[in-house]
Amino acid sequence: MADRGMKKFLPFSSLVEQESYLKKMIYEKNKSPKPKVSTEQAAKIDKILRNYLKSEIYNITFYYDGYIYKVSSQILNLDLNKRLIHLENATIPINSLVDIENNNPFDEIC
């Protein structure tokens, strides 16, 4: 929910410079600190990354620039030297991972 103070100044964004500054101010205001990853969560992430299959789709949650993003994608490659995960349409640093889940519901049962 937007802050009333931000709504009150929106009519004054008549100049182009003011509009970009107000958008940047809202973006900076909504940032959150990076969430802590527990040891159990880190072990789960490690297990999935060690045993990933290129044919499976994973739900990946990661932190970037003050925001948490979620993406569903196949893991194409792990670059352990650069500590990067290469997805179909993105590259994510390993240390920015918050959570990773396998989309296959039968992996939990078997």
Side-chain angles (χ1 to χ4, degrees), residues 85-103:
I85 300 173
H86 298 283
L87 305 175
E88 291 175 313
N89 53 3
T91 301
I92 301 171
I94 290 176
N95 62 354
S96 69
L97 285 178
V98 175
D99 190 21
I100 187 168
E101 295 176 352
N102 192 347
N103 254 353

Side-chain angles (χ1 to χ4, degrees), residues 37-49:
V37 178
S38 67
T39 55
E40 294 85 15
Q41 193 71 14
K44 176 186 165 190
I45 292 170
D46 184 54
K47 179 183 174 187
I48 290 175
L49 290 180

Side-chain angles (χ1 to χ4, degrees), residues 2-103:
D3 187 33
R4 182 195 174 283
M6 301 310 285
K7 286 182 182 177
K8 144 173 105 169
F9 289 108
L10 287 178
F12 296 104
S13 66
S14 59
L15 297 176
V16 176
E17 298 86 19
Q18 286 177 331
E19 183 179 355
S20 65
Y21 180 75
L22 286 174
K23 285 181 181 179
K24 182 179 177 185
M25 196 166 70
I26 291 170
Y27 179 81
E28 292 293 326
K29 181 183 176 214
N30 292 331
K31 283 186 175 182
S32 63
K34 183 177 180 182
K36 303 285 183 186
V37 178
S38 67
T39 55
E40 294 85 15
Q41 193 71 14
K44 176 186 165 190
I45 292 170
D46 184 54
K47 179 183 174 187
I48 290 175
L49 290 180
R50 287 181 187 270
N51 303 318
Y52 80 94
L53 299 172
K54 289 186 179 182
S55 61
E56 299 219 9
I57 295 178
Y58 296 91
N59 294 328
I60 300 170
T61 306
F62 64 97
Y63 178 84
Y64 178 73
D65 194 30
Y67 289 92
I68 295 176
Y69 298 96
K70 294 183 181 186
V71 66
S72 293
S73 178
Q74 292 177 334
I75 298 175
L76 299 178
N77 188 14
L78 287 177
D79 188 354
L80 297 179
N81 291 331
K82 295 181 182 176
R83 300 186 48 81
L84 296 173
I85 300 173
H86 298 283
L87 305 175
E88 291 175 313
N89 53 3
T91 301
I92 301 171
I94 290 176
N95 62 354
S96 69
L97 285 178
V98 175
D99 190 21
I100 187 168
E101 295 176 352
N102 192 347
N103 254 353

